[in-house]
Amino acid sequence: MKQLLVSLFLLTLSMASPAEEVDPFEETNRVIYEFNETIDDNLLEPVSRAYQDHMPDFLQNRVSHFFGNLRDVSTLANQILQFKIEQSAVTLGRVVLNSTVGLYGLFDIATDINLTTENEDFGQTLAVWGVDSGPYIMLPLMGPSTLRDSAGLYVDLTSDANLVNEMEDVGAISASAMNIIDKRVELLPITDLLDQSDDPYITIRSSYLQKRKFDIFDGNLPVEEDEF
């Protein structure tokens, strides 16, 4: 997944979409982007780099696999909603195997035996149902999105929160914090690449929109829309 994110990011370093078409709220979005960058530069990135540098790889992998198993549960629901029968059967197998033999997802046994799946979220499900993406927007603390993906994100976050909240209160707070750090560590390679961009805001916007299109079509873009 990290390699895919970096590859798609590199492909968009020199790309730019007409702002009038995809980003009618650019002025406001840039203000929110700068706010997010301030929070990230002073809190999330330093904590994530310290976590990556000082937490043993074994423990980092356990955290990543645990939350990856929770994402598989969300993916399974969205695959069913998208009528992806074969893929949902594979994902169900992953969840069952990793939740039992893999000790509640701490070990990714399914991937070790080549039982893999691609993440699906409710924003992708809405796209499959024919909902238009709407304008590009920058969400406070959450980052790049579109109007459609923002609605999907609300559903996904609610679902994830319900899973995490099964723990004790203190455990749920700790788990939520670890989930944020784990996701931020995954994005550190892209943070390094952003330093090479003349305008990180445009680069992030283009990269996000390209990746979302790639995700929605499962990598098989229609010929007329293929920009790769």
Side-chain angles (χ1 to χ4, degrees):
M1 177 57 70
K2 291 182 181 180
Q3 291 82 352
L4 174 60
L5 288 173
V6 172
S7 297
L8 289 172
F9 187 89
L10 287 171
L11 283 169
T12 58
L13 279 175
S14 60
M15 293 181 180
S17 301
E20 300 82 5
E21 297 179 11
V22 300
D23 193 2
F25 309 122
E26 181 173 349
E27 184 176 348
T28 300
N29 284 335
R30 282 184 177 273
V31 173
I32 297 174
Y33 168 75
E34 292 300 329
F35 168 77
N36 290 347
E37 282 298 286
T38 299
I39 299 297
D40 187 70
D41 290 345
N42 291 282
L43 179 61
L44 293 180
E45 184 180 349
V47 170
S48 298
R49 290 195 184 277
Y51 172 83
Q52 183 183 53
D53 293 340
H54 301 293
M55 180 71 71
D57 289 344
F58 176 83
L59 294 180
Q60 288 188 47
N61 289 336
R62 302 291 72 75
V63 171
S64 294
H65 291 161
F66 175 79
F67 288 110
N69 191 51
L70 294 185
R71 284 192 292 273
D72 280 349
V73 175
S74 178
T75 289
L76 174 61
N78 282 292
Q79 286 173 335
I80 293 173
L81 291 173
Q82 295 174 37
F83 303 104
K84 294 181 176 179
I85 306 303
E86 182 177 345
Q87 294 94 323
S88 62
V90 171
T91 304
L92 176 60
R94 282 182 55 83
V95 172
V96 171
L97 185 61
N98 287 339
S99 297
T100 54
V101 180
L103 302 178
Y104 299 98
L106 293 176
F107 295 88
D108 189 358
I109 306 300
T111 296
D112 292 340
I113 62 172
N114 296 319
L115 194 65
T116 61
T117 191
E118 295 295 333
N119 290 335
E120 299 275 357
D121 56 58
F122 197 65
Q124 291 170 249
T125 297
L126 291 175
V128 171
W129 289 353
V131 178
D132 186 73
S133 67
Y136 175 82
I137 54 178
M138 182 67 65
L139 298 175
L141 301 179
M142 303 303 298
S145 187
T146 63
L147 188 60
R148 178 187 62 207
D149 288 344
S150 298
L153 180 62
Y154 174 79
V155 174
D156 291 330
L157 289 177
T158 301
S159 175
D160 291 346
N162 289 336
L163 291 173
V164 172
N165 286 339
E166 293 298 322
M167 308 174 184
E168 298 293 333
D169 290 342
V170 174
I173 294 173
S174 300
S176 297
M178 289 303 300
N179 190 20
I180 293 172
I181 294 172
D182 180 61
K183 288 181 178 180
R184 186 61 185 86
V185 167
E186 185 175 312
L187 295 175
L188 285 176
I190 292 180
T191 301
D192 296 333
L193 288 172
L194 273 174
D195 294 337
Q196 306 171 24
S197 174
D198 293 333
D199 190 338
Y201 174 84
I202 291 178
T203 304
I204 287 175
R205 181 183 67 197
S206 182
S207 179
Y208 176 82
L209 294 175
Q210 291 291 328
K211 184 179 183 303
R212 288 305 288 169
K213 184 181 293 185
F214 186 91
D215 291 341
I216 289 166
F217 287 99
D218 295 326
N220 301 310
L221 296 177
V223 175
E224 67 273 15
E225 296 190 36
D226 194 341
E227 300 178 12
F228 294 90

